[in-house]
């Protein structure tokens, strides 16, 4: 058996070496070549997962979903690598996984750039790379597929929600000053949401972004950034705070609370964030948060479907697999809070 595997392995390398193609198709390779990771003799699929870090509640839910899906009882050996919020560490992790000859690499990139060389190395070794959550600025032919959210659409959904709310409140003609807290520079979630928000906001000549600062999707940085903004802008000048994830909104809320600024449906400042974490639902129910635009962290099943299709020798039809997401607000949060799983 081992000898056949070795012959197949050499043929696969020859095939991948010529075409650099990570996608196996029925007519090209009828069966998946099992790479025996160094010194490992088993029938498990060895999956390397490169995660961004632990920057938010969304990330914890995303990581746990993978840890609960790719388990030995289901035929996987998951090698989880925490990128510790360092793009450089993530690239090194990919090179290490290539050395270990894993069967698949799942990449959850912090930022889009810096991936060309490492992804090429994975191609040369015939290791399929599946990108999830944020995207990478690499030729799409170099990786199998991407699955995640439409971040631009999320940004537009936030503006749509605000438009509707203001009309319901009879405030659509009011001048509106907006503070925007952004995620990591260069992350698809940031660029997508920011573009969607700005494209929507510029349709309103009476809306104005008076401050936009990066807080890297973390609660601590957002509190610091909001405290700094509040030294330059009077609270009475702020009508809306939009945070590109719930954790940054929680940090902004702490900064506003310290200044005794009222916010939320029962306060003065409109508050809108992204992710729709359980804690965000609690704040919508308690009257602190107006709305949270859902960003679904449960990507493991979408990634597993791609891997299983490859294992079955199927062609992957498409490059981008978007996941379903909703908008929740202070009016409907109490109907959904019990069903939330993260
Ligand atoms: C979105 C994801 C973002 C979340 C943040 O898919 O990349 O990163 O919105 C997380 O909470 O930190």
């Amino acid at each position: 058996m081992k000898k056949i595997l070795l012959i197949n392995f050499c043929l696969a390398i020859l095939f991948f070496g010529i075409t650099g193609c990570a996608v196996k198709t029925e007519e090209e390779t009828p069966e998946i070549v099992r790479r025996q990771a160094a010194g490992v003799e088993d029938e498990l699929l060895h999956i390397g997962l490169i995660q961004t870090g632990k920057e938010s509640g969304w990330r914890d839910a995303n990581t746990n979903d993978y840890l609960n899906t790719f388990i030995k009882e289901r035929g996987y050996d998951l090698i989880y690598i925490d990128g510790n919020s360092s793009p450089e560490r993530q690239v090194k992790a990919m090179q290490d996984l290539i050395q270990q000859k894993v069967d698949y690499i799942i990449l959850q990139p912090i930022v889009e750039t810096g991936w060309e060389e490492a992804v090429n190395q994975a191609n040369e070794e015939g290791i399929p790379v599946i990108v999830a959550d944020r995207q990478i600025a690499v030729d799409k032919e170099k990786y199998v597929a991407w699955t995640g959210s439409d971040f631009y659409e999320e940004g537009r959904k936030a503006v749509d929600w605000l438009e509707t709310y203001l009309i319901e409140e009879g405030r659509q003609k009011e001048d509106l000053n907006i503070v925007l807290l952004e995620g990591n520079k260069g992350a698809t979630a940031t660029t997508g949401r920011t573009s969607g928000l700005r494209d929507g906001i510029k349709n309103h000549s009476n809306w104005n972004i008076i401050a936009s600062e990066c807080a890297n999707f973390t609660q601590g940085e957002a509190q610091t950034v909001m405290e700094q903004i509040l030294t330059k802008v009077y609270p009475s000048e702020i009508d809306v705070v939009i945070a590109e994830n719930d954790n940054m909104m929680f940090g902004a809320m702490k900064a506003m609370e310290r200044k005794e600024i009222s916010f939320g449906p029962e306060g003065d400042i409109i508050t809108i964030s992204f992710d729709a974490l359980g804690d965000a639902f609690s704040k919508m129910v308690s009257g602190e948060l107006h709305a949270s635009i859902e960003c679904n962290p449960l990507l493991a099943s979408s990634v597993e479907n791609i891997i299983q299709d490859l294992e079955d020798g199927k062609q992957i039809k498409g490059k981008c697999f978007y996941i379903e997401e909703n908008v929740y607000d202070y009016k409907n949060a109490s109907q959904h809070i019990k069903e939330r799983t993260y």
Side-chain angles (χ1 to χ4, degrees), residues 4 74 82 100 114 129 134 149-150 152 154 167 180 232 244 276 288 321 326:
I4 297 170
R74 302 183 76 242
D82 178 344
Q100 292 179 55
V129 175
R134 305 170 191 176
S149 303
D150 184 338
Y152 180 85
E154 289 177 356
I167 290 167
L180 174 58
K232 299 171 198 153
E244 290 182 349
E288 297 170 87
F321 297 91
N326 298 303

Side-chain angles (χ1 to χ4, degrees), residues 128-143:
V129 175
I130 297 154
V131 184
D133 180 19
R134 305 170 191 176
Q135 301 192 17
I136 56 175
V138 167
D139 178 351
K140 290 192 184 328
E141 290 318 303
K142 302 278 187 169
Y143 56 88

Side-chain angles (χ1 to χ4, degrees), residues 52 55-59 133-134 149 151 154 184 189 193 216-217 244-247 274-275 295-296:
T52 60
E55 76 280 357
S56 64
W58 187 98
R59 190 63 56 193
D133 180 19
R134 305 170 191 176
S149 303
F151 300 114
E154 289 177 356
N184 303 69
R193 287 172 188 159
N216 289 317
F217 288 126
E244 290 182 349
N245 82 335
D246 293 332
N247 294 85
F274 294 78
D275 283 352
C295 178
N296 189 340

Side-chain angles (χ1 to χ4, degrees), residues 199-220:
D199 284 355
I201 288 167
K202 71 183 172 195
N203 291 335
H204 297 267
S205 57
N206 56 325
W207 293 10
N208 181 28
I209 296 177
I210 57 171
S212 62
E213 299 291 345
C214 170
N216 289 317
F217 288 126
T218 71
Q219 183 166 330

